[in-house]
Amino acid sequence: MSTTIDMPGSSKAAKAGKPVLVTTPSRPGGWKKGVAIMDFILRLGAIAAALGAAATMGLSDQTLPFFTQFFQFEASYDSFTTFQFFVITMALVAGYLVLSLPLSIVAVVRPHAAGPRLFLIILDTVFLTLATASGASAASIVYLAHNGNQDTNWIAICNQFGDFCAQTSGAVVSSLVAVLVFVLLIVMSALVLGKKH
Amino acid sequence: MKSSPAELISEAKSSTQNSKMKRAVSVLDFILRLIAVVATLASAIAMGTTDESLPFFTQFIRFRAEYDDLPTLRLFVVASAFASGYLILSLPLSILHITRSSARRTRVILIILDMVMLTSLTAASSAAAAIVYLAHKGNAKANWFAFCQQYDSFCERISGSLIGSFIAIPLFIMLILFSALVLSKR
């Protein structure tokens, strides 16, 4: 049993000699679509890492159980300007990653479009720099807190504030995970841009 | 489906415009790379030649400061020198991109390497910046003394050497931007 589809409109147009509008089907995504999906998933992971870093650092606080007549021994992220910078910057990075999710979805839907990819790679580079700067500066302070420095007579406060030290170290590690994910995202975007087809 | 002669001419025009743009961007890339070489090299040398001895001393201790005393500053010197060396080695690749505008794979390699160097340079220089900030301001809660009050010229040197690397970092970002821009044009 065969079905025939009668299309009177197109035959009329062909007879009149006018051009018939034919929409070409979009090319199959192939590996570019796979890379774009991977990009989206990695972005979700990076959001978790950046938010975790900001939250862990922001909630770091330790009060020692002993105190003198004049002050109580307390350490919080507030005491260190670098850590304040870290919390704000990581929150910014997490905000950017959330806002870049729609762009990433556009890149999944249209794997061969260069516009979204270019935009993503440039913004990713800028925020990679920001995340690296905040993570590394906090890491140097954490290193100092663990080891101290004999020449400048800076004491390693980790010996006293153990909990605070553990929290800040964890936050720094989480931010470095976010940096690693950024690096992967940029590498993938570069590979996708580099292929002509 | 035949393209009319007018369409062919307009296509040819846009492709020459495209290749002109690519060439201009590649030349700009080369120039920025040269500036970044100078900036990172100056940073490394300025930090690496720090040495200050205070004019007073006790019987047992001599008051002396050099970049070696702080491991973060040592890392900064190494990373700056590394970035400078990489930029010098990438100059031939940049020249190749000026002559052959249609090279795609080498541009991808350049983007990836540039990004890795950007990350390491940013990490080292922001770690050093945190230490320099601490040297200027100290930290009352942790009882960390601001040694800038004693070691004046050492402090000035280490603060000034950070400027070079903070010039090189936006240059790296622009290099990556240019390479990505050229890649996105077919």
Side-chain angles (χ1 to χ4, degrees):
Chain A
M1 192 170 146
S2 65
T3 49
T4 52
I5 301 170
D6 198 85
M7 298 185 70
S10 59
S11 53
K12 265 192 213 162
K15 277 182 193 165
K18 289 180 192 163
V20 178
L21 186 67
V22 176
T23 51
T24 51
S26 48
R27 290 179 281 162
W31 68 278
K32 283 193 183 181
K33 193 153 196 156
V35 166
I37 293 174
M38 194 75 213
D39 179 284
F40 182 74
I41 295 172
L42 279 178
R43 233 166 256 277
L44 290 176
I47 292 174
L51 272 179
T56 312
M57 183 67 87
L59 297 171
S60 65
D61 192 1
Q62 187 182 10
T63 314
L64 293 181
F66 52 88
F67 47 90
T68 70
Q69 196 181 16
F70 296 105
F71 54 79
Q72 193 158 32
F73 294 90
E74 189 194 356
S76 75
Y77 84 97
D78 253 347
S79 331
F80 299 89
T81 320
T82 312
F83 289 160
Q84 286 174 330
F85 170 66
F86 178 83
V87 172
I88 296 171
T89 316
M90 274 300 148
L92 267 174
V93 164
Y96 157 72
L97 282 168
V98 167
L99 289 175
S100 74
L101 282 177
L103 209 55
S104 182
I105 293 175
V106 168
V108 168
V109 167
R110 296 202 171 283
H112 295 284
R117 284 255 153 248
L118 179 67
F119 208 47
L120 273 180
I121 202 175
I122 291 170
L123 286 178
D124 277 348
T125 310
V126 170
F127 281 92
L128 164 77
T129 316
L130 208 58
T132 314
S134 68
S137 55
S140 81
I141 301 292
V142 165
Y143 174 83
L144 209 54
H146 274 278
N147 296 32
N149 192 300
Q150 278 183 342
D151 297 301
T152 51
N153 209 24
W154 287 341
I155 306 170
I157 65 170
C158 268
N159 298 330
Q160 293 171 327
F161 296 95
D163 269 349
F164 175 69
C165 225
Q167 286 169 331
T168 54
S169 311
V172 165
V173 166
S174 184
S175 81
L176 293 180
V177 165
V179 165
L180 193 65
V181 172
F182 263 114
V183 167
L184 284 175
L185 288 177
I186 294 176
V187 166
M188 289 187 332
S189 288
L191 287 174
V192 165
L193 272 181
K195 284 282 184 176
K196 215 166 184 176
H197 303 289
Chain B
M1 195 167 96
K2 284 185 200 168
S3 351
S4 66
E7 281 176 16
L8 280 171
I9 289 172
S10 71
E11 259 182 42
K13 263 188 194 166
S14 70
S15 79
T16 43
Q17 274 176 356
N18 242 359
S19 66
K20 270 188 194 168
M21 188 270 284
K22 284 186 188 182
R23 191 147 297 185
V25 166
S26 305
V27 168
L28 204 56
D29 177 287
F30 181 72
I31 293 172
L32 286 184
R33 236 167 251 278
L34 282 176
I35 298 174
V37 166
V38 171
T40 43
L41 207 54
S43 243
I45 291 175
M47 182 72 87
T49 53
T50 52
D51 191 0
E52 184 185 0
S53 301
L54 292 182
F56 53 87
F57 48 89
T58 71
Q59 197 179 12
F60 298 104
I61 311 170
R62 178 102 197 208
F63 294 91
R64 187 171 175 215
E66 49 179 359
Y67 81 98
D68 236 355
D69 298 332
L70 291 139
T72 313
L73 299 185
R74 218 173 357 180
L75 173 75
F76 175 73
V77 173
V78 167
S80 265
F82 198 38
S84 181
Y86 159 76
L87 282 167
I88 291 176
L89 287 176
S90 72
L91 283 174
L93 207 57
S94 184
I95 294 175
L96 173 78
H97 288 152
I98 298 177
T99 52
R100 289 177 116 229
S101 304
S102 59
R104 291 188 88 88
R105 275 204 199 133
T106 46
R107 269 192 224 272
V108 171
I109 293 173
L110 205 60
I111 286 186
I112 294 175
L113 287 176
D114 276 346
M115 182 204 44
V116 168
M117 291 314 302
L118 167 71
T119 315
S120 64
L121 188 65
T122 312
S125 52
S126 49
I131 296 294
V132 166
Y133 177 85
L134 215 53
H136 277 276
K137 297 281 173 74
N139 191 299
K141 284 270 177 99
N143 210 21
W144 288 342
F145 174 65
F147 65 79
C148 266
Q149 293 170 10
Q150 290 173 334
Y151 297 92
D152 248 345
S153 83
F154 175 70
C155 202
E156 273 177 21
R157 251 310 183 58
I158 59 178
S159 316
S161 75
L162 287 179
I163 296 176
S165 66
F166 282 124
I167 291 175
I169 289 170
L171 289 180
F172 261 112
I173 295 180
M174 287 176 69
L175 290 176
I176 295 177
L177 193 152
F178 287 154
S179 292
L181 198 67
V182 169
L183 274 182
S184 70
K185 300 273 179 201
R186 293 173 192 284

